[in-house]
Structures are given as C-alpha cells and as structure tokens.
Amino acid sequence: MTAPGLAAASMLGQSFPFTHWAASMRHRVLGPSQSVLVYTYTFEVGPPMLRWLLEPIVVQVFNWQTRRRFARLRDFLAHSAGEVQRWQRAQGMEEFV
C-alpha cells in the first residue's frame, strides 16, 4: 500500500476576505523516517476595490498562520513518531516507516 503523494483543495463560493483560494500539498519520501511536505497555495482577496489595501495584510497573516500550523505539525510528529510508525505498520505502509 502506498500513501497518496498529492492532495489538493479549492474554495467553493466566497469567504471574506478571500474571493478565490486553492492549495496543494505534495509529500515526498527522502529516505527511511525522512520526508518533506511541499505546500503551494494561491488566493485572491476582495472586494476588488480594496484589494490593494487588504491583500498585503492577508498575505502576512496567512503566511504567519501557515508557518505556525506546520510548526505544530512538526512538533506533533516529533513527539508522536512511535505512534505514527505503529499506525503506518498497521496500515501496511512499511515503506514509510
């Protein structure tokens, strides 16, 4: 069994301040117990007449929150490595352990 290497999502409708948002994550195995997660995103802020004002602020907040969340994920994985490996073995994912 292999784990999916790519996941993607996009926003349906609108949610202030975003008029468009899409992201993808790609997981690459580097070696035993070593991998990298590549996160790519794009978004547009609205309303269009305020984009010049809102977008720089939203970019800063979004980047800060993204770094914060991935740091929490890194810390969780470091703390729970044994449990994650046991789960991977139970799922038949030995190539990722």
Side-chain angles (χ1 to χ4, degrees), residues 66-84:
T66 299
R67 282 190 298 276
R68 190 174 138 263
R69 289 176 182 166
F70 278 108
R72 288 179 65 196
L73 176 59
R74 179 201 60 222
D75 295 345
F76 167 79
L77 291 173
H79 180 264
S80 306
E83 185 176 340
V84 171

Side-chain angles (χ1 to χ4, degrees), residues 8-75:
S10 71
M11 182 177 80
L12 297 176
Q14 292 187 2
S15 179
F16 181 82
F18 301 103
T19 57
H20 169 77
W21 178 90
S24 67
M25 286 189 225
R26 180 176 298 277
H27 178 248
R28 293 187 183 141
V29 176
L30 301 177
S33 299
Q34 205 175 25
S35 66
V36 66
L37 182 66
V38 178
Y39 178 56
T40 306
Y41 63 88
T42 180
F43 60 78
E44 190 173 81
V45 174
M49 65 190 329
L50 296 177
R51 187 169 294 141
W52 66 272
L53 176 65
L54 293 174
E55 196 160 278
I57 297 166
V58 173
V59 166
Q60 291 293 327
V61 171
F62 193 85
N63 287 340
W64 173 66
Q65 286 291 341
T66 299
R67 282 190 298 276
R68 190 174 138 263
R69 289 176 182 166
F70 278 108
R72 288 179 65 196
L73 176 59
R74 179 201 60 222
D75 295 345

